[in-house]
Amino acid sequence: MSKSGLDEVLNILQEEFDDILQQWLDTQREEGIRRPDLFSDSESRRQAKSLLRAFVEGMGKSNLDGRPDLDDQIWSELRSVLEEITHERVERGVSAGEMATFVLALKTPLFARLRKRLKGRPDSLLAEITQVSRLIDAFAMRTNEHFIEEREQIIERQRHEMLELSTPVV
């Protein structure tokens, strides 16, 4: 196997980036997490594209034979993009479940392409799906952790603002 153990996934993401991106957005729409009431199509596309690009970049540099470690330096761009997108989404009222599903929806287009590419090679298919699932799950968990931190900061800021409003003027 390659240095990442995800040869086909990485090939698919690099060769079919735009199609994967579109299918990821379509999956979000189908699962009801697209939120056109909060984000325009161009905003959603921009967020998903920057996140997917950072994901592919990290995958290309990583060794994923073990447990994915998103704290590693190779994932710094992904963490940065994720923080920015999470901040935007929290500010606009997206739920924690919608945030996680936003990331997890990436599995649908990847798994469909893997099935086609690795048809007749069930062991390779299972290995790639298992590895990319672990990575995307770690990515979704990281998203939720950051989402919770952002939400806690907003609550704390609002608490301080309310205290200031309720303090009598002497």
Side-chain angles (χ1 to χ4, degrees):
M1 243 184 206
S2 74
K3 82 175 203 167
S4 75
L6 290 167
D7 292 333
E8 290 299 330
V9 171
L10 192 54
N11 289 338
I12 288 168
L13 285 167
Q14 290 170 339
E15 294 166 10
E16 302 179 48
F17 185 89
D18 292 329
D19 289 339
I20 294 287
L21 175 62
Q22 186 57 54
Q23 285 189 333
W24 185 21
L25 292 166
D26 292 344
T27 300
Q28 292 171 32
R29 189 176 354 270
E30 291 163 10
E31 293 184 8
I33 55 156
R34 164 60 189 79
R35 297 302 303 262
D37 57 323
L38 301 177
F39 297 95
S40 68
D41 285 343
S42 62
E43 286 176 308
S44 291
R45 177 172 283 284
R46 178 190 51 80
Q47 288 179 348
K49 186 175 185 175
S50 62
L51 208 48
L52 188 58
R53 197 168 301 287
F55 183 68
V56 172
E57 181 183 316
M59 276 186 66
K61 296 176 184 175
S62 70
N63 177 351
L64 297 172
D65 291 332
R67 182 176 163 263
D69 181 9
L70 296 183
D71 289 322
D72 192 300
Q73 179 60 32
I74 58 174
W75 296 105
S76 63
E77 180 64 19
L78 179 70
R79 288 191 309 270
S80 175
V81 170
L82 180 61
E83 288 172 15
E84 176 187 322
I85 290 171
T86 302
H87 179 77
E88 282 181 49
R89 288 178 170 254
V90 168
E91 287 286 325
R92 294 194 193 182
V94 172
S95 74
E98 289 169 327
M99 253 335 268
T101 307
F102 166 69
V103 172
L104 293 170
L106 179 56
K107 289 182 179 184
T108 300
L110 283 178
F111 289 2
R113 281 180 168 68
L114 278 170
R115 263 194 315 273
K116 286 180 186 175
R117 284 213 185 182
L118 298 175
K119 187 177 181 177
R121 296 172 39 207
D123 291 341
S124 296
L125 176 62
L126 183 59
E128 294 256 351
I129 285 177
T130 300
Q131 281 291 89
V132 77
S133 255
R134 290 177 68 197
L135 181 57
I136 292 173
D137 291 349
F139 181 16
M141 290 298 294
R142 181 60 167 244
T143 302
N144 263 3
E145 290 168 3
H146 193 69
F147 181 91
I148 291 166
E149 289 171 12
E150 283 284 331
R151 182 66 60 82
E152 286 174 352
Q153 289 174 6
I154 289 172
I155 291 169
E156 187 62 23
R157 185 184 74 227
Q158 289 172 341
R159 188 179 74 74
H160 282 295
E161 289 170 0
M162 288 179 71
L163 283 173
E164 287 177 13
L165 288 174
S166 65
T167 304
V169 178
V170 178

